[in-house]
Amino acid sequence: MQNKIMLFIVIQLISLFGTHLSDFALGLYLYEKSGSLYLYSYFSMFIILPEMLLSPIIGHYIDKFNKKQMILIGHAGAGLASISILLLLQNGYENIYGYLGLIILSSLFNALVFASFHVLIGDEVDKEYMNKAVSLIQLGFGVVMIISPSVGAYLLDNQGIEAVFYIDISTFCLALLVISTMNFFKNTKHKENEELHFIEGLKESYHYLKNDKLLWLSLILFGFLNFSMAQVTVLITPIVLSIATKSTLGVVMSIAGVGMLLGSTLLFFIKIKNYLYWINLFAILQALIFVLSIFNIGVVTIAIGAFLFMFFSSLVGVLNYTYWQKRVEQKIKGRIFGFRRSIIMFSIMLGYMASAPMSHLMQLLLDSFPFLLEVIGAYLHPEIRLLFMFNAFFIVIIVLVIHRKQKI
């Protein structure tokens, strides 16, 4: 893999660190100012929703225009939004909805950056090195997600919110400076896309996925795995706290994070060809971990299960992304990847939102059918473990459908 591509990926990850740093710190700052948990949840939603809803539209225009220019516009727009937030903070602006509006604007520009980034990676990286590039990206994402909250909290307590935004703005400036000097030799525009209207592009994307059943099924599987992962992230808390302390919960979550990082690191050194085979295998192993929750286990076993679950989740994520990069035609990649991004983000958000209602539904099921409680056991939140059993069942069903489709 070329040094230029390595630098390009690292610069994007540095910019992503600045973005996550400021998002975390500003959300915490506004929560402390308002004392409103609802507002704090809305803040997180406003970061996700614009990208989730508009990724297909952004992808359509990425296919029509120069990817490098789109990335520079995205960095410039997100940087200006951060500068505006900093100026409001310095002038003591207290209308929280003004900050939320700028967060939505920043989210849109960041969506443009990363949608263009993914397509440009497909342009520039040779297929034989795609696995390494995706592993590096996934590893970087994992590191950013782990360190940005702790760094943000430290800066907020010791340096103040303004210091966080100085760092964020600096990362945008660095990205603009470095990327503007780069030459991307394969950064081409496809003439057939230039006159393509959005509705026509949407129809073309639909028919493309409709005609490639394996691509579509792999997205369904990956979406459901992300849905399940979001539920695990929420529901592991009451399970651990029912037998251990908050400190232990923190250790378990950190161990799970290490599992994700190791999964990404492993695939950087291993070359895999039959992507769907390994995606299906690792998905089945995730389902098996769900099934093993039927046993009365302790904290150590839960930590090992969390580690393995996130380890396999990381492997599936890298392989699924690589599979799409290699299978999707370059001329339509912006639209297809935009649609993929929307589905994945929707799955994660739905997983978070549905965790509590689905757990309650499982409790009603246990109350209505007492024999289920005898099978699954009354220990360690049986309603949550029953939900995990259902998730395992659907993972296996989707994998079997993909396996059968491969044989046809």
Side-chain angles (χ1 to χ4, degrees):
M1 190 164 55
Q2 295 178 7
N3 291 334
K4 178 185 69 175
I5 299 301
M6 294 278 286
L7 176 62
F8 178 56
I9 292 173
V10 170
I11 288 296
Q12 288 298 129
L13 292 172
I14 292 172
S15 176
L16 180 68
F17 169 73
T19 299
H20 278 277
L21 188 71
S22 61
D23 285 347
F24 174 82
L26 183 61
L28 197 57
Y29 175 82
L30 294 179
Y31 173 65
E32 290 176 343
K33 287 288 184 181
S34 66
S36 171
L37 187 59
Y38 284 104
L39 181 64
Y40 186 62
S41 64
Y42 290 156
F43 179 86
S44 301
M45 185 177 68
F46 286 154
I47 293 174
I48 295 173
L49 269 181
E51 185 174 357
M52 185 186 79
L53 295 175
L54 297 178
S55 281
I57 299 175
I58 292 171
H60 171 78
Y61 287 101
I62 288 171
D63 284 333
K64 294 165 73 73
F65 300 109
N66 182 285
K67 316 301 182 294
K68 174 183 170 180
Q69 291 176 1
M70 300 290 272
I71 289 176
L72 292 174
I73 290 170
H75 277 304
L80 287 173
S82 291
I83 291 172
S84 300
I85 292 172
L86 177 61
L87 291 174
L88 293 180
L89 290 168
Q90 289 176 334
N91 287 279
Y93 186 77
E94 295 185 353
N95 188 333
I96 292 173
Y97 295 100
Y99 292 108
L100 292 179
L102 287 170
I103 282 296
I104 292 173
L105 187 64
S106 176
S107 176
L108 288 173
F109 280 112
N110 280 314
L112 177 61
V113 169
F114 286 99
S116 303
F117 168 73
H118 293 310
V119 177
L120 195 54
I121 286 294
D123 268 337
E124 293 291 317
V125 178
D126 293 333
K127 289 188 176 182
E128 61 179 307
Y129 297 114
M130 185 61 71
N131 198 67
K132 288 183 178 292
V134 176
S135 297
L136 180 62
I137 294 167
Q138 187 86 354
L139 176 63
F141 282 177
V143 171
V144 166
M145 295 299 289
I146 289 173
I147 67 172
S148 55
S150 56
V151 174
Y154 173 81
L155 289 172
L156 201 57
D157 286 339
N158 294 277
Q159 303 295 327
I161 186 70
E162 293 178 12
V164 173
F165 276 90
Y166 282 128
I167 294 174
D168 184 28
I169 293 165
S170 298
T171 63
F172 282 124
C173 292
L174 177 65
L176 282 169
L177 178 64
V178 175
I179 295 173
S180 63
T181 63
M182 288 183 165
N183 292 317
F184 296 101
F185 299 109
K186 300 177 186 177
N187 179 26
T188 56
K189 295 188 293 182
H190 299 278
K191 292 182 179 180
E192 60 267 38
N193 289 331
E194 293 181 6
E195 301 299 326
L196 191 67
H197 295 293
F198 173 68
I199 299 299
E200 294 173 349
L202 200 62
K203 289 179 180 178
E204 185 180 347
S205 302
Y206 167 76
H207 288 296
Y208 187 91
L209 287 172
K210 183 181 177 182
N211 293 329
D212 194 333
K213 296 294 193 300
L214 285 176
L215 200 64
W216 178 245
L217 287 170
S218 74
L219 178 59
I220 292 174
L221 175 62
F222 192 52
F224 189 78
L225 289 173
N226 276 277
F227 171 83
S228 300
M229 183 177 66
Q231 289 191 324
V232 169
T233 304
V234 174
L235 298 176
I236 197 173
T237 297
I239 289 178
V240 173
L241 290 182
S242 67
I243 56 174
T245 64
K246 292 179 182 177
S247 298
T248 304
L249 173 64
V251 173
V252 171
M253 298 298 281
S254 296
I255 290 172
V258 171
M260 176 167 279
L261 291 181
L262 286 180
S264 303
T265 305
L266 178 66
L267 286 180
F268 186 82
F269 299 101
I270 297 177
K271 189 174 183 180
I272 289 179
K273 292 183 178 180
N274 192 345
Y275 293 101
L276 277 183
Y277 170 82
W278 290 102
I279 288 170
N280 289 342
L281 176 62
F282 295 138
I284 290 293
L285 291 173
Q286 285 185 280
L288 179 61
I289 293 170
F290 276 141
V291 172
L292 292 177
S293 68
I294 195 172
F295 299 108
N296 191 0
I297 54 180
V299 173
V300 173
T301 310
I302 292 173
I304 294 171
F307 172 88
L308 291 174
F309 187 88
M310 297 307 291
F311 177 77
F312 294 133
S313 176
S314 178
L315 294 175
V316 171
V318 172
L319 293 174
N320 182 274
Y321 182 90
T322 308
Y323 177 69
W324 276 61
Q325 279 282 12
K326 290 190 173 186
R327 194 171 178 95
V328 177
E329 293 180 33
Q330 198 61 34
K331 67 177 182 179
I332 200 175
K333 195 167 280 185
R335 280 161 279 168
I336 298 297
F337 268 72
F339 178 76
R340 177 183 183 271
R341 182 67 174 164
S342 290
I343 294 297
I344 292 170
M345 295 187 75
F346 175 76
S347 300
I348 294 171
M349 190 173 71
L350 185 62
Y352 284 127
M353 294 173 61
S355 295
M358 291 184 72
S359 297
H360 181 66
L361 181 63
M362 294 300 107
Q363 185 61 60
L364 294 176
L365 200 60
L366 289 169
D367 293 340
S368 302
F369 302 97
F371 75 91
L372 287 174
L373 193 59
E374 296 178 9
V375 173
I376 201 168
Y379 44 82
L380 285 177
H381 289 276
E383 74 284 1
I384 294 176
R385 292 184 294 110
L386 181 61
L387 177 57
F388 288 169
M389 296 299 108
F390 275 99
N391 283 355
F393 173 77
F394 284 111
I395 290 171
V396 171
I397 291 298
I398 299 170
V399 167
L400 289 175
V401 172
I402 293 175
H403 182 67
R404 183 180 178 182
K405 197 68 183 176
Q406 281 182 286
K407 287 188 172 183
I408 296 176

